[in-house]
Amino acid sequence: MSLENKNNYITQRNLITGGAGFLGSHLIDKLMNLNQQVICLDNYFTGEKSNIQKWIKHPNFELIRHDVTEPIQLEVDKIWHLACPASPIHYQQNPIKTSKTSFLGTYNMLGLARRVNAKFLLASTSEIYGDPKVNPQSEDYYGNVNPVGIRSCYDEGKRISETLCSDYKRIHNLDVRIIRIFNTYGPRMKPTDGRVISNFIYQALSNKPITINGNGNQTRSFCYVEDLIEGMIKLMNSDINTPVNIGNPNQIKIIDLAKKIRQKINPNLELKFNPMPEDDPFQRQPNIQKAKEKLGWFPKTSFEEGLEMTIDWFIDLINK
Ligand code: NAD
Ligand code: UDP
């Protein structure tokens, strides 16, 4: 059932799995500010209650501790399925659990969506392209993924999640969305989660050497979290049942990223070169033509602005 609220915006019941995490909590902020009803479901593997603390007593907000590998019955209109560790050190900590979260978690949430006829959005990833042989990557590229490596639990996990969504669409006519998220950064990244931007900023602010894996010639393309969330909401509100890349095509080498962050925080810091982790992709850059044409979406925050806001947030965190 949907109700009109005072701003004439249709109020819907939204389930956000992984809502206490980095992206999930930003999505919740946005939906709460749109006067939506929100149920945040999380097992707190990598999420933090502090990320959603400010909503806890709000009448539109509910919090459920639950693991998506177990089924659950709820009445909702939209499911935003984000529950899954995203950082390599987290998803490699218990890779079998990561595969279970990807397969069983997505299966359970799709089952719920089917029972209550909810719209379903899967947070997929650029990792489904693996170590891509083409650059930039567009949605019709099938990828180059090692099925038996240390990143496979996540890469293959997200690929089977996409398969499940596509079959629920084909077989049960479920209204699915698949967002392929490219590296995203911003406030609320964990200082210890090992992702490159949080690592570099935290290292620089703590006067520690900046750790570069390999020679740093590998590339990534970083999207500011607010832009990403806007793209996610636009996709959910569209009628596109096929995967859509959402990311910022602004590609940068990891070595240049290290130098940029060092320059902003502490130009005298040492750069420390570590061995390259197994299967670390050499290049990654989204082709966002589809998002531009079909959603009218493109990232608006420049890397300079986004980095400044992220560094400021880390400074506040450290000084707390
Ligand atoms: P995150 O680790 O901050 O958040 C994931 C959340 O899911 C956490 O709150 C965690 O506790 C929860 N969770 C994990 N396993 C669960 C389970 N079995 N049951 C219930 N909750 C569980 O990661 P994030 O960066 O916010 O990523 C969110 C989603 O976006 C993930 O699905 C990730 O694969 C996808 N994604 C993120 C990025 C990125 O750059 N951040 C890029 C591509 C895809
Ligand atoms: N990386 C690095 N130093 C670090 C953390 C990461 O050089 O301290 C590299 C990592 O090997 C990869 C890139 O930065 O090449 C992006 O890593 P991240 O884990 O942030 O994202 P992903 O590899 O999942 O895209």
Side-chain angles (χ1 to χ4, degrees):
M1 189 179 69
S2 301
L3 299 169
E4 293 270 338
N5 71 16
K6 61 178 186 294
N7 299 325
N8 265 354
Y9 197 98
I10 303 289
T11 299
Q12 295 212 303
R13 297 160 305 179
N14 295 270
L15 172 65
I16 292 94
T17 75
F22 166 48
L23 298 184
S25 64
H26 281 280
L27 174 63
I28 287 177
D29 287 352
K30 196 85 185 177
L31 294 175
M32 288 297 294
N33 287 328
L34 287 168
N35 281 332
Q36 300 296 290
Q37 293 181 42
V38 166
I39 302 175
C40 170
L41 182 156
D42 207 294
N43 71 349
Y44 304 111
F45 174 46
T46 54
E48 304 276 349
K49 262 199 192 145
S50 57
N51 286 341
I52 35 138
Q53 188 69 37
K54 66 171 178 275
W55 301 117
I56 281 178
K57 290 196 172 148
H58 195 289
N60 285 357
F61 184 77
E62 283 174 67
L63 186 57
I64 300 175
R65 177 189 281 268
H66 180 80
D67 191 309
V68 290
T69 58
E70 299 293 336
I72 189 166
Q73 295 215 351
L74 295 165
E75 306 304 316
V76 290
D77 304 300
K78 288 181 178 165
I79 299 175
W80 310 72
H81 180 43
L82 278 67
C84 183
S87 159
I89 59 166
H90 289 147
Y91 69 66
Q92 286 163 12
Q93 199 173 312
N94 184 346
I96 297 170
K97 173 74 189 210
T98 301
S99 295
K100 274 179 76 179
T101 296
S102 299
F103 179 78
L104 278 179
T106 305
Y107 172 74
N108 286 331
M109 294 306 114
L110 282 164
L112 169 62
R114 186 179 170 216
R115 186 176 67 76
V116 298
N117 200 23
K119 269 170 116 173
F120 185 94
L121 178 140
L122 170 72
S124 184
T125 170
S126 54
E127 296 272 335
I128 65 99
Y129 299 120
D131 187 8
K133 297 291 176 210
V134 302
N135 204 48
Q137 297 82 48
S138 54
E139 291 85 350
D140 55 7
Y141 178 54
Y142 292 164
N144 174 40
V145 175
N146 176 358
V148 293
I150 59 168
R151 292 173 83 102
S152 314
C153 58
Y154 185 72
D155 301 3
E156 294 289 17
K158 291 289 184 177
R159 286 169 73 95
I160 191 69
S161 299
E162 289 199 7
T163 307
L164 278 169
C165 289
S166 307
D167 283 329
Y168 267 76
K169 166 70 190 153
R170 271 188 288 268
I171 309 291
H172 301 305
N173 203 25
L174 194 75
D175 201 5
V176 298
R177 309 281 178 273
I178 299 172
I179 175 172
R180 289 189 180 153
I181 301 170
F182 283 65
N183 298 63
T184 304
Y185 70 102
R188 297 190 201 149
M189 294 186 91
K190 278 186 163 180
T192 52
D193 80 359
R195 285 187 260 198
V196 69
I197 291 205
S198 44
N199 258 16
F200 286 1
I201 293 177
Y202 197 63
Q203 288 164 343
L205 290 174
S206 329
N207 267 322
K208 299 220 170 91
I210 298 189
T211 54
I212 296 170
N213 295 340
N215 58 15
N217 280 333
Q218 70 272 31
T219 70
R220 295 294 187 272
S221 308
F222 297 99
C223 185
Y224 190 64
V225 62
E226 243 176 74
D227 289 332
L228 187 281
I229 298 299
E230 192 204 335
M232 190 182 277
I233 292 175
K234 281 197 162 179
L235 178 60
M236 180 61 116
N237 292 340
S238 77
D239 57 2
I240 307 170
N241 289 138
T242 50
V244 179
N245 288 342
I246 298 285
N248 192 322
N250 194 2
Q251 187 177 214
I252 184 168
K253 285 185 181 178
I254 296 303
I255 180 87
D256 295 335
L257 175 69
K259 288 179 182 165
K260 190 185 267 292
I261 290 176
R262 179 171 72 163
Q263 189 57 35
K264 282 184 184 296
I265 299 176
N266 183 349
N268 300 320
L269 278 181
E270 182 198 342
L271 301 181
K272 183 167 177 256
F273 291 86
N274 289 334
M276 191 68 154
E278 193 182 316
D279 287 339
D280 200 291
F282 180 65
Q283 54 188 355
R284 188 178 294 147
Q285 184 186 32
N287 175 327
I288 57 165
Q289 210 47 40
K290 187 168 173 182
K292 274 188 179 159
E293 279 169 17
K294 306 228 170 186
L295 303 176
W297 177 88
F298 56 91
K300 300 189 182 92
T301 312
S302 73
F303 197 38
E304 295 300 324
E305 278 176 281
L307 266 187
E308 295 291 344
M309 290 188 277
T310 310
I311 292 170
D312 286 347
W313 184 83
F314 271 96
I315 292 173
D316 284 349
L317 183 78
I318 287 170
N319 291 334
K320 254 183 197 167

